Amino acid sequence: AEHLSGTHCTSFSAWGDATERGRTITGRNYELPDDEFRTGRFILIVRKPQPGSASPSWISVNLPGSFSAETAISSEGVTFSTQEVNWIRATSTTRGFCPETLLQRRLLEVARRESVIQDVSAVLQDLYTNGGEANLMSWPSGQGTCAAVFEVDGDLTVGHGFTVRTPEAGLPYIIQTNQFYERLTPDPSHRYEVIRGHFDGILAGEHAPLTVEKAWEILGQVPVGGDLIIQHAVVFEPDDMLMHVALAEPGIHATDGKKVTLDVAQLLR
């Protein structure tokens, strides 16, 4: 059955020839209706594991009362940005079921920078959720790809409920909006095309490589419809363990507001 979502989140990640220093830069818009219950009320959660635990610590931008990791970075330098997808597929089994919020945390906490795809895929072989979500995860630059998207739903007959999407033809960037691009044949997304136009221009030499400032510019140009507002926006620099955060005010998108730079490594110490 279709599931009508109230969010239209967007993320992208780039590295190598697409960025100024070749290092990973990840941008993220989180959109919800502009109302008195959410606008301007997001907080920063710093999560540290129990003593002796091998799990990394992490930071996430959340609404009060939420304990998910919807826009987060771990002490491994792994970022997590989820996009809800308007789709739920029912399954006949409950074995391995995990609520979305707990699954998001689990995926972030198992991911090591040198093996994100393998680590996350191993968890998704055992756990699933029946809500549609596309999780873009990125990590510090190195050899090859520095980001991937994990498309997750409840259809255990197709790839055990998830599909890993990597960049097209080895391109040094990946884009994700709130729809599946592998598990379903998507309708064209104007937001996706706007972002891709920027990166195509960069790789063609028409624009300078991506910087944090350019990432903010791209996030601010992503179309937002209806009564939605960009409630929070984040630019991650995993190599330098920095996150740049902006929150919305009533009637003002986060991308048009004040940007604050946070030293992730210092906060997690």
Side-chain angles (χ1 to χ4, degrees):
E2 290 188 0
H3 170 64
L4 299 179
S5 168
T7 65
H8 290 276
C9 303
T10 305
S11 300
F12 62 80
S13 188
W15 55 90
D17 293 341
T19 64
E20 185 178 52
R21 296 186 294 158
R23 298 188 173 190
T24 305
I25 296 178
T26 298
R28 188 306 196 267
N29 280 347
Y30 185 92
E31 302 166 25
L32 284 171
D34 185 7
D35 58 42
E36 61 181 307
F37 304 105
R38 289 171 284 205
T39 303
R41 298 185 183 275
F42 282 82
I43 62 173
L44 196 71
I45 293 177
V46 179
R47 163 71 176 173
K48 293 191 175 184
Q50 294 292 328
S53 171
S55 295
S57 50
W58 49 269
I59 296 174
S60 182
V61 183
N62 285 50
L63 279 168
S66 172
F67 51 83
S68 62
E70 293 180 329
T71 306
I73 183 171
S74 76
S75 54
E76 285 283 318
V78 176
T79 77
F80 190 96
S81 305
T82 189
Q83 281 73 215
E84 287 190 14
V85 178
N86 301 343
W87 186 260
I88 288 180
R89 289 178 172 174
T91 181
S92 60
T93 180
T94 58
R95 187 166 61 90
F97 173 76
C98 186
E100 283 182 317
T101 51
L102 294 180
L103 184 61
Q104 290 166 6
R105 289 178 52 157
R106 177 66 175 157
L107 297 183
L108 182 62
E109 290 172 354
V110 301
R112 300 300 184 266
R113 65 173 65 195
E114 68 278 359
S115 55
V116 174
I117 293 177
Q118 298 93 318
D119 297 338
V120 172
S121 296
V123 171
L124 292 175
Q125 290 288 342
D126 296 325
L127 300 178
Y128 75 93
T129 186
N130 67 346
E133 60 180 60
N135 303 315
L136 187 150
M137 300 182 71
S138 68
W139 49 91
S141 59
Q143 297 296 322
T145 295
C146 297
V149 174
F150 299 86
E151 299 184 358
V152 181
D153 62 18
D155 188 353
L156 303 186
T157 67
V158 180
H160 200 79
F162 75 96
T163 301
V164 181
R165 184 168 74 86
T166 53
E168 300 176 27
L171 290 174
Y173 69 86
I174 193 167
I175 304 164
Q176 185 60 43
T177 59
N178 63 313
Q179 60 191 130
F180 290 148
Y181 288 92
E182 293 286 345
R183 296 185 69 78
L184 294 174
T185 301
D187 295 326
S189 167
H190 182 47
R191 286 175 291 136
Y192 188 103
E193 295 302 326
V194 166
I195 298 172
R196 184 162 68 175
H198 283 280
F199 284 115
D200 287 348
I202 288 172
L203 296 179
E206 298 169 3
H207 308 305
L210 187 71
T211 61
V212 170
E213 292 74 21
K214 179 66 175 179
W216 280 121
E217 178 185 334
I218 294 173
L219 290 173
Q221 293 179 9
V222 175
V224 180
D227 64 342
L228 299 179
I229 191 171
I230 302 172
Q231 292 281 3
H232 70 252
V234 176
V235 177
F236 294 105
E237 293 185 90
D239 290 87
D240 299 319
M241 293 296 283
L242 297 174
M243 63 186 295
H244 313 275
V245 183
L247 303 181
E249 298 179 21
I252 301 175
H253 292 294
T255 49
D256 295 326
K258 179 182 178 181
K259 283 80 173 177
V260 177
T261 298
L262 301 174
D263 185 330
V264 174
Q266 181 180 22
L267 284 170
L268 293 182
R269 277 197 300 271

